[in-house]
Amino acid sequence: MSDHSNLRIASQVIHAGQHAEPVTGAVMPPIFTSTTYAQESPGVHKGFEYSRSHNPTRYALERMIACLEGSNISEDTDASCGGFAFASGLAAMATALELIDAGSHIISMDDIYGGSNRLLQKVRQRTQNLDIDFVDLTDESKLRSAMRPDTAMLWVETPTNPTLKIVDIARVAQIAHEVNPKCLVVVDNTFCSPVNQRPLEHGADIVMHSSTKYVNGHSDVVGGILVTGKPELAERIRFLQNAIGSVMGPFDSYLTLRGLKTLDVRIRRHNASALRIAKHLEASELVDRVVYPGLESHPQHSVYKKQMEATGGGGTGMITFFIKGGLEPAKAFLETVSIFTLAESLGGIESLIEHPAIMTHASVPPEQRAVLGIDDALIRLSVGIEDCDDLIADVDRALEAASAKMGAMAG
Ligand code: P1T
């Protein structure tokens, strides 16, 4: 296989880690469904024994995402170049958490996906006796006071779900590694994809994705990814992926690889449309506040400029905004849109809209939601790749409905 690490990302998403299938020359990898592989003599085989441990279709996806995230591990060192695919984003996270011992101290970003929060607080605190501190990692002094010499993991999500805070990965990785060089810095890169942000380049040890979102991009596969650029960590993750067994299946691996091939063109459109819509919402007097990395009003806009790629827009297709008047106008907005679908999830080609307090973040304890500002006025948009003028017209209709509701409430 030729080295694709020097290509630009728009070329990498087509070629990275890919080689023609050796028997037939097929350009796209076949979907290898076989669960097991014939051996010539006990223990003598072609590198494939059993499909949980090794699957050629999954390897093709894993090598691709590893290269996109900037892992330099060669195929000779690790069969999937430090990339690992799982049955879901949470399965990837659960496997990453197995890298640390029972009773470990872990610091997590305070604002993270509700399901990630639930896995930490409602499962691993009990089963792994994890000692977890939720910290606002946009404030370095808070991280410095929370870090301990034995802190085993720093869990970063950036931009965060749903309030789109941006954590300076290089700074927090440096601080964590200064206090404990062995602390594993893991970055959930779901809201960006490697086109907009590559955390390994900023000092993270591991990148995680819910590939259900931008990486697959078509809202038809649930999956998760871990990538590391460190061979020793890759060996440990490979062991855990096989030992725990929550692997991505061959059909899902094929679909996700197919989706990845258009990642660069999709992301360009997501970013450009989201920037336009964010500016449009910011100009509306019915909206209290818009949070979007590419807007100068974003509190961490300077970190965005340093760390994320704008890629034709503002660094992501995700927008969060607070509508005036609270829950009733918010509901009117959510019920009126017709191109945006009211649904959980994000990162697909179709536009989605949701209400985090009632939907994706209902599992976050209400006191914590209040501190994070996930209130009834907060609406989250995942801007798809439809014609942006149609999306803006849809937003305008919904704003009118919200305005009518506000008028009725005042009257
Ligand atoms: O749903 P799953 O593939 O298991 O991934 C979980 C996950 C992890 N990390 C982030 C940042 C996420 O956004 C998610 C899933 N999020 C949603 C379903 C959502 O609507 O926010």
Side-chain angles (χ1 to χ4, degrees):
M1 184 183 66
S2 50
D3 178 13
H4 298 115
S5 57
N6 59 339
L7 297 181
R8 290 176 182 81
I9 200 151
S11 309
Q12 285 184 337
V13 296
I14 317 287
H15 299 292
Q18 306 305 297
H19 35 74
E21 198 275 321
V23 176
T24 61
V27 170
M28 275 301 281
I31 304 170
F32 283 94
T33 56
S34 185
T35 53
T36 190
Y37 301 84
Q39 308 199 5
E40 285 165 39
S41 175
V44 181
H45 51 74
K46 297 181 167 61
F48 296 92
E49 277 174 292
Y50 183 63
S51 206
R52 167 167 31 77
S53 328
H54 324 106
N55 179 279
T57 318
R58 196 180 78 220
Y59 276 3
L61 164 67
E62 291 174 332
R63 287 194 304 264
M64 162 76 80
I65 189 77
C67 187
L68 298 181
E69 284 291 0
S71 165
N72 291 322
I73 300 179
S74 74
E75 203 175 333
D76 294 336
T77 306
D78 179 84
S80 57
C81 306
F84 301 91
F86 297 86
S88 69
L90 288 184
M93 180 178 184
T95 304
L97 289 172
E98 298 289 353
L99 287 164
I100 58 176
D101 293 332
S104 293
H105 178 236
I106 161 168
I107 297 175
S108 169
M109 179 61 185
D110 56 357
D111 182 38
I112 55 175
Y113 167 57
S116 306
N117 181 304
R118 181 178 54 204
L119 176 57
L120 287 172
Q121 294 207 79
K122 304 256 171 71
V123 183
R124 293 312 180 87
Q125 212 155 26
R126 177 173 61 81
T127 62
Q128 207 176 346
N129 193 25
L130 291 183
D131 178 4
I132 310 165
D133 278 326
F134 289 93
V135 174
D136 178 0
L137 298 176
T138 62
D139 183 340
E140 271 182 46
S141 62
K142 289 192 177 148
L143 173 61
R144 283 189 192 282
S145 13
M147 267 307 291
R148 301 185 206 155
D150 65 347
T151 302
M153 186 175 276
L154 181 66
W155 190 270
V156 182
E157 191 178 290
T158 182
T160 63
N161 183 358
T163 64
L164 298 178
K165 287 187 202 161
I166 300 174
V167 178
D168 186 333
I169 300 168
R171 286 299 294 148
V172 297
Q174 190 191 359
I175 293 167
H177 288 145
E178 259 167 33
V179 180
N180 178 12
K182 289 192 175 149
C183 177
L184 294 174
V185 177
V186 189
V187 176
D188 183 334
N189 199 24
T190 299
F191 270 36
C192 277
S193 93
V195 173
N196 285 324
Q197 178 171 271
R198 287 175 295 284
L200 298 185
E201 290 174 3
H202 301 285
D205 298 296
I206 298 172
V207 179
M208 177 245 158
H209 280 278
S210 165
S211 55
T212 316
K213 314 298 186 304
Y214 288 110
V215 166
N216 176 59
H218 294 72
S219 307
D220 53 6
V221 182
V222 172
I225 297 287
L226 295 177
V227 176
T228 181
K230 299 188 170 161
E232 172 269 334
L233 260 179
E235 204 178 318
R236 289 170 64 198
I237 298 172
R238 175 166 304 290
F239 170 80
L240 291 170
Q241 185 193 37
N242 182 47
I244 297 166
S246 51
V247 293
M248 187 182 283
F251 282 96
D252 288 354
S253 299
Y254 174 82
L255 281 172
T256 306
L257 182 61
R258 191 180 204 265
L260 256 186
K261 301 232 166 188
T262 56
L263 185 72
D264 187 78
V265 287
R266 283 189 282 113
I267 291 289
R268 280 174 194 283
R269 173 83 93 134
H270 286 298
N271 289 351
S273 296
L275 180 61
R276 254 189 86 192
I277 293 172
K279 285 182 176 163
H280 188 75
L281 284 167
E282 201 169 46
S284 166
E285 53 190 27
L286 303 170
V287 172
D288 255 338
R289 191 158 65 89
V290 182
V291 190
Y292 182 70
L295 291 179
E296 280 179 21
S297 57
H298 190 290
Q300 292 90 36
H301 187 66
S302 60
V303 184
Y304 153 79
K305 280 188 162 160
K306 181 179 81 157
Q307 169 173 298
M308 294 165 66
E309 313 266 351
T311 320
T316 178
M318 300 302 296
I319 303 172
T320 285
F321 71 98
F322 296 81
I323 198 155
K324 285 195 177 140
L327 187 60
E328 289 311 316
K331 273 191 180 163
F333 191 101
L334 292 156
E335 287 164 3
T336 304
V337 282
S338 63
I339 302 179
F340 284 87
T341 301
L342 177 58
E344 301 199 4
S345 204
L346 59 110
I349 49 174
E350 66 291 289
S351 293
L352 300 179
I353 188 166
E354 68 115 6
H355 191 268
I358 298 177
M359 296 166 69
T360 49
H361 289 70
S363 58
V364 178
E367 325 77 70
Q368 208 176 344
R369 276 207 310 268
V371 172
L372 296 172
I374 306 174
D375 64 27
D376 284 345
L378 192 162
I379 294 175
R380 190 188 78 180
L381 300 178
S382 170
V383 176
I385 63 169
E386 301 93 337
D387 188 302
C388 193
D389 288 335
D390 288 335
L391 293 176
I392 286 181
D394 205 30
V395 164
D396 282 344
R397 272 194 302 275
L399 282 172
E400 271 170 37
S403 170
K405 180 60 83 179
M406 286 174 215
M409 282 162 61

